[in-house]
Every structure is written in structure tokens, then in C-alpha cells.
């Protein structure tokens, strides 16, 4: 038999953390004894518990401790984190620690260091330079031979965010995840408020957009959100950008009013034409510069210095010159955006939302909107404690959101 | 071998009717020869084709002729329809003719009589009284012993509506069935126009509503549509009515603003309380009369003489006194509404939409709105040539529809 | 300020009950102090907590106490339940207690009485006769003037089932609700095991079936499950029964092999013919008696004395003579089945599954299978702690289930 | 006014082609007159029609002619195709012809040349070398300055495949697109037959797989399909390959039986470990060579020389060394597979299925299986006339398919 002492601290009962930890031990075939337990007498007071966890053998114990750990229970006999050099480029040492997306500390030389740029499924590298040690996440493909990688479970502290309480915060309405039973307009007005609040604090809003936003007729309202500064960054794919540009280039030249309903059978040809024309011009910015393109989402991003990342995919036509075709390079660009964002709007795209979501810490506010409940659920599941999902039509959501934001000023 | 001559007339090529008929013959293992074919030289000119259909034996031939028939091809050697008495209550004679939802004529005494109140899966009864014969549909459970029922395929003419052409008509936008690729706001504005047009011609609008309409916060806007006369009749279930009344009775008494987000855990109790209170008052109308209820959809229906049918189901609580618990009786009430309607809005309910749809001729304009594409597809499939489906959020659809209707005036 | 003492007992931490209760108090704007807390030192030991809950006023307090109550926390100063006579038929006294689907006790004359036939959204009636008092649920529409109805929150004890622990029980695999990430075949084999176990203990299996079961080709395998005694009772609708009978009556007479793919365009007519033929014969049992029907699910039910309930709905054709067209009467028949069942299989029907689910206590094992994840989620949400959902194709599920059951013997 | 003569030939009525063309002209605001029409007197005889199409101006006319063309109507006054040099790399000349996925001929020097490797949304390049001219498709990003590109509509002939007739062919059951009303097991047995038939003719089967295939427990059966030669090529993503390898590497080492249900919370860590281990070994093939991996889908592909393409995406972890991270390079690899395939199985992946589907001619048999009807519909819509969709659970589909294939031998 092997045993280890672990501690839980904070709102461990009402956040469900303690119940989860008890459940993990039982589900994984271990046992436990509660050595000390102090309950917060009021809802503002924190609680504390110390348990001894037992398992059949050290390996079994370690796997339980590991799970407890990912859920906020920390060994009470903190040691320094174990550090081992990466044996080769893109190879981690055996037993490397794989991150969650929760705020995490690493114990180095008896001190707890916060891990910079936390995101899930990464290694933690500890770097020692003149200014003392620092710890940061690194994805597998960026690890270099000799990088000092955290291994094992010791000396690591994870702090999952607690479920927001009460109805005060901007995201108070988001407590219950996805719901199709909630009044749509009130939910949209709450999202508008969360955006306005983020902007009021000079926070940054990142929008992750799929082509349905354009198809569903929400392009003009969304472009206005960029123009008026409610969207600071755009993360999207080649399809979205081409559809947006196509509306500009062919929306009126063939006598079709983009306000009216399209002749869908024209779609394919314009699509390729648009890409070819933009390539001819030398790219999106050049096309805007020369006056070829003068409206739409990409136009507003360029004109208003809202940085955009267009990530390539195997289903793209073209692609546009600005599209980053290498998946690893594109992920790095997305990672940069994700780390800067204070609020993320995921609008009708599963692929790009997952890619962005993979890079987000669990503390970043996230709103996910899709007409397919499976998409919303999948995104929230990987998710952050501060994510809210809304199952609705992007073609009605964006106009209503814009109305609420512009009316609120 | 058996053979029979059939004719097709009208826009038989561009409506796809001729292709469909050729396909049926081949799929069912028959063969055909085209004896005469006159094509409309212009798009306004009708075409005509006469074929001889052959099959292995008379039974096989009859089954092919039957299918052709349901798709608009008629035997060119019209005989009078065969008529046989129903052998017992609720029992049809062998080989009885089961209707489509398309306009249909029956040949009696050498004359073609239009079938009254056409709807699908019914028998056709021919009644001879002083004013000459008339033909009408009858559902199985209403057939009485001795009713004169049409049997076989002879003497029956079906006229499936042709696909609407061009962009002129109110429902021109509806040509392609369901699409999630269409601009949402433009589609909603087109639906608003179709409603306005129907009202301008003194037509009647029937709304078929599910409880999601209330949950999603669209209650006030929908109630206004009733109040302002855009909705003439309501077909719904016990759940919808109770939720609507519950908002009135408990929406504010417990300090909750119905504009805000609900405490969902209160739901069940209020639901039963509402039913009990309404029963105590003697029903919905009595509750309105005594001032217990003074807002909402049911309130506006009663105040504005918009007839409503509340059909019961096995998942109901209560039910309310006005709920028709017998399925056959409820169907008859629904049938009456369906036959009077010129435009039907099916809003977020599969059960009630199917029930209403079963009673509609294929010539009645139908709009089906649901967030679940499977529901929309299922309804359009049974459906009418003039049905349009929209996959969207009822909680954003109704407010936008109301805005378009009220702005249009 | 108003306050009240409540107690929690059992596996209140790992089942999440304590966290839930703390959350409720905070969400509803109350506050609390923990007076006593004894934690189970081992996973087999129960815990105990006593809190004082405070709120602004007695009404506010009562609404919090009520919620706590529904979630397993009981006032520690038990009084007898308050009893009031129903003022009229189908009308409850003000403040009546509306049940959950969890095991519940009522305190009468200082003794706790278990509530018989517990199901949710009912009133509790206390009846005093010669053998001492008894308590049972009653639906709103069955309440009669003068019935003694429980009101308020006092003297009521609710015991929500705890989340099953470990991997031992038959339903151990069901802990996490719906999952599409689980191996399909293993899940089916676990369901087979749960059925076999139920039968081994002389338990009763109730199958709730939708017409997709027949369409998807699973009829023969399902009929065999009835024949071999794995399904004891059937709860279904008119559509299912007609489709099942139609396969028997028209599956071969028109030269179609029911093993092969159907000519779908024949469907409608056979449907009505089938109903008419069965009516002519005098009903399903008469049709089997006279040899008209000699295979299929309804046939096996009749031959093997497996009671069935065919509940009517407004979308039915016909209906068949055995179909109960009155919703209230049908609910009562369904209620009888639900109360007898030890395991319920809900197979591809939302309407009937909800109707049955409404009558089930939270202690009845329930398996819900549907290809639409929304249906599965909706059923589990209303649901029981012992429900498991599986998103799969009923047309492959039933054959695989049958294979596992027949192989296991 | 402008006008032009066009011709239609073949089974133009029962395939719906003629109706479609008439519809296009009317929808686009043109008019037409039928100059000649000869109808096939029997179902085996082809028909012929010659129309004069009129429009307001030459531009309008050209856009109508273009649409007709894409749907099989060809100008009756064939000229040679117009050829223009590409003005720059990745830029097409104005008015370039964008391909459909249907068999297409180009008229060069008075002769019709079939276009090689037809796929949709490409340019057609005409190359003149010693052996006479040839025509082939080229995607936008591969076009080089000076390539001779087909422009305009003249000298191009498109032959959309006709709807298969009768019940004879292997894909006879596929006529109606997606259906959830079809018997699942019979449909699976038909798909098995189509695979067996393809193999009997030395055809190649390409499987396009998503990770759900592994999660749902179908890995062993699918690996056997590769081993026994029913799957010749694999097109997939990094996630699928990692999950497959993870089952091999960690399925048993941690004491979990892969036949049983997983501890899902272990997933993330094993995922990264697997990638790291495979990178350490030098890639998948090296890992197999050194005995690290000895079962599963990737293993069978390597052992049985079934070429695979692992295409990267922005949501990948790692990725594995064999993953092609550049989207354009990955598309080219996929294109190579698609052009070689005679039957394509698309199994539970939208992204990869769309990528493969984009490269397929409309004559390649395609089976698309997914539990989400929207995925199936989306794939069939882009699709080929010989595509069949099945909405089912991949975790039950693959085992049943394997059973049918192995029993059939």
C-alpha cells in the first residue's frame, strides 16, 4: 500500500471541488481518510480539507494524485518540481507533466512560480537566467533538446477557477453552460454588456468567425462591430475571408443586391475569381490599397488596424496570399491572439474555435454561438469555467448584438 | 402484358413532373412508349405528352398507374370513378382510393367534381343529394357504414401544384426548401411580406406554436402579433398555454422580472400552480374575465376573438379545462382551422405542426421555423409545394418578424 | 430576518449534494452558517451537516428551504406535514406541495410515512383509514374535492438517490450520462447485461418504442426480445403498432421482401389499409386470432401476454381500435406500466418517452437510445440518477442488443 | 436582345436535366424556344432537344449559357475553346472557365479532348506537346505564368452523370440520397456488396476516417478491413492516427482493457505521450519497425502497403512526423489518392471528407457515414450522383460492415 497527503483550500464545497476529488479517488479504486476539515462558516469564508489518499501501489497512487491535482487538490508536503532535460527536439522526458488550462504554479528552489501563458496539453519549461527562474508552457513541437521540462506530479499547484457566484458579474448569466431554454434576446443583451464592460476596461475582444456569418447575412453588422472598435482581433479561415471579399467584388457588379437573396448557383465561380483577383492585386491589403476592395470585414480589419489571422485548411480553395497554410505556423499565430484576448467570441466555426480554445487559459471569458448544439457543447466541454454557450442563428444573433451594443452607448 | 394510356399536361418539363413519371415507370419495372409529345415553345406555353405504359400483369400495371396518378399523370381514357359502399363503420371497401394533399377531381356521371376539403390519406366520399353529386374527403374514423367510397384508380385526376417560377410572388423566395445558407434577416423580411400580403387580401393566418416560443422570450412580441391582427388563429398544446399563463400569473408576483433570466428551478411548481389556479377560476376565459390573467398570447386570443385549439397530449400536466384531451376530437378541431387557413406559421413544434400539416392541402402557404433542421426537413417532406423552411432561433425570429411587420405599415 | 435549521446526511460530499445546497442558498440570495459538520472518514462512512439558513423574510426563507428540500436537505426541527382539503375537483389548496421523482416521506402524527407511487409534479394525498394513515401521489386531474393534500414544506423528507459509485453495479457504466465517445459495442453489451440481470431477479422490463424501430429494420429482432421474455411490457403509439402490422399484412403480399429495401412510395396507402383491415377484424387481438396477423411485435405481445399500451396522439391516422385516444386515460395506463417497471428501455421516441419518464421514480433504471442527441439529453435532464443515454442508430442497436442477449444465455 | 442555340442529348427527361435547364432559363430571367425535340420512345432510347435561348444582352445571355452548360446543355454551334495565357503565377486570365466535377471535354483544333483528372473549381490547362494537345485540370495555386488556360464558355462540353436506374447496380439502393427511414442492416449489407464488387474488379477503396471511429470502439474491425484488403488507402488526420497509436501504446500497459470502457480523464496525457514516443522513435513506420507499435489501423496500413495521407490541421497536438502540416501540400497528397479511388468511404469526419470530396469526379462511388445528418447532407450536396449517405453510429456500422464482408466470402 502507498499513501500521500493532499490538501484542498477555498470554496471547495460549493464549487464542487471536494465532491469531485472524493469521486475521483473512489472511481479510480483508491481510498481516503479525512484528517482535518474546517468548513467556511459563511459563504465568504473558505474551507480547508486534508486527506490521506491510499492505493495499492505507488504507480496506482501516482495516477490518483495526478487526477486530484488536475482538479485542484495539492500534495501537502510540497517538494520542488522535478526537472529533466528534453532528450531530443520535440521529445519530452518520460513522465513529463502535461498542463491543464488552469492557473498553475511550479515550485522551484522552494518558491512557487506562476506558469506563464498557461494552456492545456503543453509541457512546462523552467528557464534560469540572470533574473531568477521562470516557468512557461511550451507545445510539443517547439521543445528543443536540452530544455528543462517539469516531470512527475510533485511541486505543481493547479488552481481551477471557482464557479462564479451570484448574479452580479458580467458573466453571472453564464453559470449554467448551454441552454436553449433561455430567453434569446436577454442573453444577447447580456453578451453585449460583457463586451461593453471588457472594452470599458481596455480589454481586448477576439472574434473567431466561420463562413456562415457571411452566408447568413450578418457581414455588414459584423464589419461595423470591427469599425466601431468592439472587435479588436479576428481569427478565421480562408473561406470566411474569400466570402467576405466576394461580397465586395461581385455583390453588385452582376446586378445582385447583397441585401436580397443570392443566386446560389453563381457561388463557386465568384469564389475562385475573388481569390484570383486578390492574388493578382498582391494580397488583401494591396487590394484595399488599390481600391479594389472597399467594404466588409477584412476591409474594416485593415483600415482599423485590427490584426487578423487567416489559418489554412485542407478544404480551402486558393488560398489567399495572407492565408497561413502551415498548421504549426498558423497555431502559433492563433496562440499569440489567444494569449492577448480578454473576451473571445466564437461565431459559427468548430475548427477555428477548437484551435483558439486549445490555447486559452480557463480564466478567459468565452462566448460560443452556433446553431448546432453539438458544436456548442463540444466547445464548452473542453472549456473554461467562464465560457457561455448560446444555440442560436448567427444571422439573427449578430444584428441583435450590434443593435444592443450601439444602443447602449 | 397489360397496358394503359396516360396523359400529362401543363408545365410538365420544368416542374419535373414528366421526369418523375418516366422515373416511376422505370423504377417500378414497367416500360413505356411516348405516343405524342407537344412541347411548349415558350416558357408560358404548356406542354402535353401521351404515353402507353406497359407492365407484366394488370396488378403490376395498376400499381404503376396509381403512382403516376399521384404525380399528375392521368389515364387518357377517363371512366367514371368506381364507388362502393363502406362495409362497416370505420372500414373502407377493398381497393379504396387514398388521397394525396393535391387538388383532386373525381369523375361522376361523366363530370369531373372537385374533391372538397382535400387532405392526404383520406377516403373520398361521393354524396348524391338534390343538388347533384358532390365529393369530399373523410378520415377513416369518420366513415360510416354505407358511405359511398371511391375505389380503384379510374376517374380520378390529381393536379400537383407546379413549382413557383420567377422571383415575383410572395413566396418566390421559397423555391428551394430549407436553407441555412440564406441571409436570415432577408428571409424573415420576406416572410413578413408574405404575411402582410395574406392579410391585405383578407386571408387568414394560422399560427402553430410550441412552448419554446415562450421559453425563448418571444411571448410579448408574439402576443402583439395576435393583438394587431397578424395572427388570426392559434393551434397549440397544453404546455404552450400553461407557460404563457404562468408568465402572467407568476412572472412578477415572486419578484422576478420576466424580461430577465429565470430561476429555472422554480418552473415545475409554478406550472402546476398555474393549471390549478386556472381550473379554480373555471378555465382560461373565466380567468381573463375575472382579471386573474391580463396579458400574453392566450389573453390576446380571447380579447381579439382569435379562435384557438389546445390539443392534449400524453405528456401534459393538468391539463387546462380548454385542452381537448381526445385525440380524434382534437384532430377534428385542428382540421377545421387548417381548412380555413391561407398561411400557416409552424413555430417550434413538431407534434402540432405534423398534426396541422396532415390536414393541409398542398396549395396552402406554409412557413416552418425551428432550430432543429431535422424538424424543418420532416415537415417540408410531407409537405406542400408552397412550404418554406427556416432553421433559426424562435427567440430571435419572432422579435425580428414583429419588427418587420410593424415597420412595414 | 428569518432563519431555519436544516440537516444533510449521507454521502453528501461526493454525491455533490452539499455543494448543490450551498450553491442554492447563495444563488437565491440567502446566507448560511454551518453549525455542525462531521465528515465520513472513509468512503463507506456517511457524513452529516447541520446549517442555519437565513433570508430577508419568511417568504424568501421558505422558497430557499423549499429548494434545499428538493435537493435532499431537511429541516432539523421536523413538524408534521400540513394537510388541507382540496377546495374543489382538480384544484389544489394554496401552497400545496408538488413532488419530485425522488423517494419521499411525509410526517403524519409524528411518524414518517413513505409516499407511495412517487412521481414528479404530483400532489401528495394523506388518507386515513382503519389501518392507519397512508400517503400517495395524485395527479392534478384526479384530485377530488375534500382530498387531504399536503401543503407547505414542513414534515416532508426527500431522498435523492446518490450517484452510483465504482464499477461494480450493472449500471456502473452509466455514471456519466450521455456520451458519444464511448465504445458503442461495449455499451450495448453492458445494457444487455443490465437487462439480463433485471430478468434474473424477476424484474420487469418496459420498452417504450417509436416507429423508427420498425422503419430501421429492427422489427424481427425486437419481436424476438418479446418472445424470449426480455421485454415484459410495451408502451407505444398508434404509428408504431400500425407500421408493425403493416409489415405483416403487406410485407410479402405485394411481392416485396421485407428484408430488402422498401418502395417508400407505397407507404401511405398500406398504412391506411392496415388500419382499415384491423378495424374490420375487430382489433389487433381479433386479427391475430383469425390468423390475419401472424408475426411481429404486436403479435408477440399478444401471444406472450406482454401487456401493451397504445397511446393516441393528434398525428395518428385511424387510429386502431386498441389505441387509447383520450390523453388522460392513456396517461393513467402508462402510469400503471411505469410503476411496475424495474428497467425501462426508451427506444427512438421522444413523446412516449417523456410521458413514461414523467411517471417514473428516480430509482428506476432507464436506458434511452436515440440517434438525435437532443432527445437523449432532454430525457436524461428530466431524469433519474440511474438513467443512461446512448446516441446511436436504433436499426443497429436492436440487432446487436439481441445478439448479446441471446449469446449470453 | 442576344440569343444562342443549345442542345441536350441523352436521358434528358427522366434524369431531370431538361427540366433543370428550362428552370435555369426562367429563374435567370431569360426566355427560350424549343426548335426541335425528339423524345426517346422507350426507356432505353435517348432524347434530343435543341433550344434557342434569349436574354437582354450578351452578358446576361452568357451567364445563362454558362449555367446551362454546367448542367449538361451545350451550345450547338461548337467553336474551339478560347485559350489565354495565365498572366502571373496563381492568377487566372479574366473569364477563365471554372470546372464542375462532371466529365468534361474541351474542343481544341476542332477535336474534343477529355479533361484529365476532372475535379471541381479548377482551371483547365491545354498543353501542346509532341503527341498532340491534352487538357487537364489545375488548381489555382499551381497555375504558372504562361499556362494556357481555357476561358469563356465556348468549346466546352459537360456530361453530368445520369441518375442510375433500376435496382440492378451495386449502387442501385443509393438512388435517393440520405434516408434515416431505411433499414440499417440491409443498407450496410448493400454497402458491403458494393465494396466486394469494387474489389472483385480490382478497384481501389479509399477510406476517409475521423477519430470517432477509434473512440466508438470500431478500431479492431476497421484494422481488419485494412488487413484483409478491403481498404486500399487511408486519408485521415493527426487525431485519428494518434488515437489509434495511443490504443496500442497505452491500451494495456496501464492495465486497462481496450475492450472495456475507458477512464476518459486519462485521455489528454496519453495523447501527448503517444506523440512524443512516436517522435522519439522517428515516426510511425520506425515505431512499427522497432516493435513499439504492433496493432491497429496505422500498423495494418504499414504492414499491408496501404498508402496513407495524414493531413494536418490547426487543432492538432504534436503533430506526428508523418503529418503533412502544409495545407496545400496535404491537398496535393489527398488529390492523388482521390484520383486513384474507385470507391470512397467517408467515415465520421467532415473536414477530411470535404477535402477528399473536393477532388473527386462525380463518377466515383462515394459512401458517407455519420451520426450527424447535417454532415451527411452537406457532403452529398457538394456531391456526386453516385454518392450515398447513411446516418448511423460508426461504432455499430463498422462491426456490422466487417461481419457482412467476412461472411460474404
Amino acid at each position: 500500500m502507498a499513501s500521500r497527503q493532499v490538501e484542498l483550500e477555498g470554496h471547495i464545497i460549493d464549487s464542487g471541488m471536494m465532491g469531485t476529488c472524493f469521486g475521483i479517488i473512489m472511481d479510480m479504486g483508491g481510498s481516503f481518510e479525512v484528517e482535518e476539515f474546517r468548513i467556511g462558516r459563511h459563504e465568504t469564508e473558505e474551507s480547508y480539507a486534508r486527506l490521506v489518499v491510499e492505493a495499492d501501489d505507488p504507480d496506482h497512487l501516482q495516477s490518483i494524485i495526478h487526477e486530484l491535482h488536475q482538479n485542484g487538490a495539492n500534495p501537502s508536503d510540497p517538494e520542488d518540481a522535478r526537472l529533466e532535460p528534453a532528450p531530443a527536439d520535440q521529445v519530452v522526458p518520460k513522465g513529463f507533466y502535461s498542463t491543464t488550462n488552469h492557473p498553475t504554479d511550479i515550485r522551484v528552489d522552494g518558491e512557487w512560480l506562476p506558469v506563464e501563458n498557461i494552456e492545456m496539453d503543453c509541457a512546462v519549461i523552467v528557464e534560469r537566467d540572470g533574473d531568477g527562474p521562470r516557468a512557461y508552457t511550451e507545445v510539443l513541437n517547439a521543445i528543443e533538446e536540452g530544455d528543462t521540462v517539469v516531470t512527475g506530479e510533485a511541486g505543481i499547484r493547479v488552481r481551477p477557477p471557482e464557479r462564479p457566484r451570484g448574479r452580479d458579474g458580467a458573466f453571472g448569466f453564464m453559470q449554467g453552460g448551454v441552454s436553449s431554454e433561455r430567453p434569446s434576446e436577454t442573453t444577447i443583451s447580456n453578451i453585449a454588456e460583457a463586451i461593453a464592460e471588457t472594452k470599458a476596461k481596455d480589454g481586448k475582444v477576439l472574434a473567431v468567425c466561420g463562413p456562415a456569418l457571411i452566408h447568413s447575412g450578418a457581414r455588414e453588422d459584423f464589419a461595423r462591430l470591427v469599425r466601431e472598435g468592439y472587435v479588436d482581433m479576428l481569427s478565421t479561415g480562408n473561406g470566411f475571408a474569400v466570402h467576405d471579399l466576394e461580397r465586395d467584388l461581385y455583390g453588385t457588379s452582376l446586378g445582385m443586391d447583397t441585401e436580397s437573396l443570392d443566386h446560389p448557383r453563381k457561388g463557386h465561380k465568384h469564389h475562385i475569381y475573388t481569390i484570383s483577383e486578390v492574388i493578382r492585386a498582391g494580397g488583401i491589403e494591396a487590394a484595399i490599397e488599390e481600391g479594389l476592395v472597399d467594404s466588409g470585414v477584412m476591409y474594416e480589419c485593415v483600415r482599423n488596424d485590427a490584426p487578423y489571422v487567416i489559418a489554412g485548411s485542407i478544404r480551402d480553395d486558393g488560398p489567399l496570399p495572407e492565408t497561413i497554410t502551415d498548421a504549426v505556423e498558423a497555431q502559433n499565430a492563433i496562440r499569440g491572439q489567444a494569449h492577448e484576448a480578454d473576451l473571445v467570441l466564437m461565431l459559427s466555426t468548430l475548427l477555428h474555435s477548437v484551435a483558439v480554445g486549445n490555447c486559452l487559459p480557463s480564466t478567459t471569458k468565452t462566448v460560443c454561438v452556433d446553431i448546432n448544439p453539438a458544436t456548442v457543447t463540444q466547445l464548452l466541454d473542453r472549456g473554461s469555467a467562464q465560457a457561455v454557450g448560446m444555440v442560436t442563428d448567427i444571422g439573427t444573433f449578430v444584428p441583435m448584438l450590434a443593435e444592443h451594443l450601439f444602443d447602449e452607448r
Side-chain angles (χ1 to χ4, degrees), chain A residues 265-277:
Chain A
R265 51 169 72 100
K266 283 293 176 188
H268 279 153
K269 197 152 183 184
H270 288 167
H271 193 73
I272 298 289
Y273 273 164
T274 300
I275 301 166
S276 179
E277 285 300 291

Side-chain angles (χ1 to χ4, degrees), chain A residues 252-305:
Chain A
T252 51
S253 59
L254 284 177
M256 273 186 297
D257 187 341
T258 53
E259 296 296 301
S260 78
L261 298 156
D262 280 320
H263 287 282
R265 51 169 72 100
K266 283 293 176 188
H268 279 153
K269 197 152 183 184
H270 288 167
H271 193 73
I272 298 289
Y273 273 164
T274 300
I275 301 166
S276 179
E277 285 300 291
V278 172
I279 292 173
R280 186 198 309 265
I284 297 172
E285 300 196 21
I288 290 170
E289 210 54 54
E290 71 170 54
L292 183 68
V293 170
D294 62 2
S295 78
V297 178
M298 299 316 302
Y299 174 85
E300 297 296 348
C301 284
V302 170
R303 281 290 180 243
N304 296 281
D305 293 321

Side-chain angles (χ1 to χ4, degrees), chain A residues 46-197:
Chain A
E46 303 202 333
S47 302
Y48 170 85
R50 194 173 65 244
L51 333 177
V52 174
V53 182
E54 293 195 327
D56 297 339
D57 56 64
D59 269 8
H60 186 193
L61 181 66
Q62 188 188 6
S63 71
I64 297 176
I65 296 295
H66 174 65
E67 276 312 318
L68 292 177
H69 208 262
Q70 308 290 73
N71 288 279
N74 296 297
S76 56
D77 49 344
E79 313 156 31
D80 271 10
R82 237 166 306 146
L83 302 176
E84 279 183 57
D89 284 4
Q90 301 190 36
V91 177
V92 285
K94 291 258 176 198
F96 89 104
Y97 174 74
S98 176
T99 54
T100 65
N101 60 356
H102 303 312
T104 300
D105 303 310
I106 298 297
R107 201 165 180 271
V108 179
D109 305 338
E111 301 290 324
W112 288 104
L113 302 177
V115 176
E116 300 167 21
N117 286 330
I118 190 72
E119 70 176 74
M120 64 180 159
D121 296 336
C122 289
V124 177
I125 308 289
V126 173
E127 200 176 272
R128 282 191 164 89
D129 55 20
D131 307 327
R134 65 185 198 96
Y136 57 87
T137 53
E138 193 73 276
V139 290
L140 192 62
N141 62 55
I143 286 172
E144 294 178 7
E145 188 179 330
D147 277 355
T148 311
V149 177
V150 175
T151 62
E153 316 293 334
I156 305 164
R157 211 162 58 187
V158 177
R159 287 167 286 126
E162 289 162 4
R163 193 171 90 100
R165 278 282 156 216
R167 330 199 90 231
D168 315 326
F171 271 60
F173 69 97
M174 296 184 173
Q175 294 182 17
V178 197
S179 175
S180 45
E181 301 273 301
R182 287 188 186 136
S184 309
E185 228 184 323
T186 313
T187 304
I188 294 173
S189 122
N190 284 337
I191 294 171
E193 227 170 272
I195 292 172
E197 223 170 83

Side-chain angles (χ1 to χ4, degrees), chain A residues 217-279:
Chain A
R219 177 182 178 256
E220 317 312 327
D221 282 307
F222 188 77
R224 194 175 160 202
L225 289 177
V226 177
R227 187 166 64 244
E228 309 246 358
Y230 288 110
V231 168
D232 300 283
M233 296 179 284
L234 177 70
S235 197
T236 192
N238 187 67
F240 175 88
V242 177
H243 288 301
D244 174 61
L245 296 164
E246 184 186 321
R247 278 282 185 124
D248 185 280
L249 287 175
Y250 296 98
T252 51
S253 59
L254 284 177
M256 273 186 297
D257 187 341
T258 53
E259 296 296 301
S260 78
L261 298 156
D262 280 320
H263 287 282
R265 51 169 72 100
K266 283 293 176 188
H268 279 153
K269 197 152 183 184
H270 288 167
H271 193 73
I272 298 289
Y273 273 164
T274 300
I275 301 166
S276 179
E277 285 300 291
V278 172
I279 292 173

Side-chain angles (χ1 to χ4, degrees), chain A residues 6-8 12 16-28 32 51 53 64-65 67-74 160:
Chain A
V6 300
E7 292 173 314
L8 292 94
I12 61 181
M17 191 197 295
M18 190 158 168
T20 303
C21 287
F22 284 19
I24 286 167
I25 300 170
M26 293 187 241
D27 284 350
M28 295 182 72
F32 65 90
L51 333 177
V53 182
I64 297 176
I65 296 295
E67 276 312 318
L68 292 177
H69 208 262
Q70 308 290 73
N71 288 279
N74 296 297

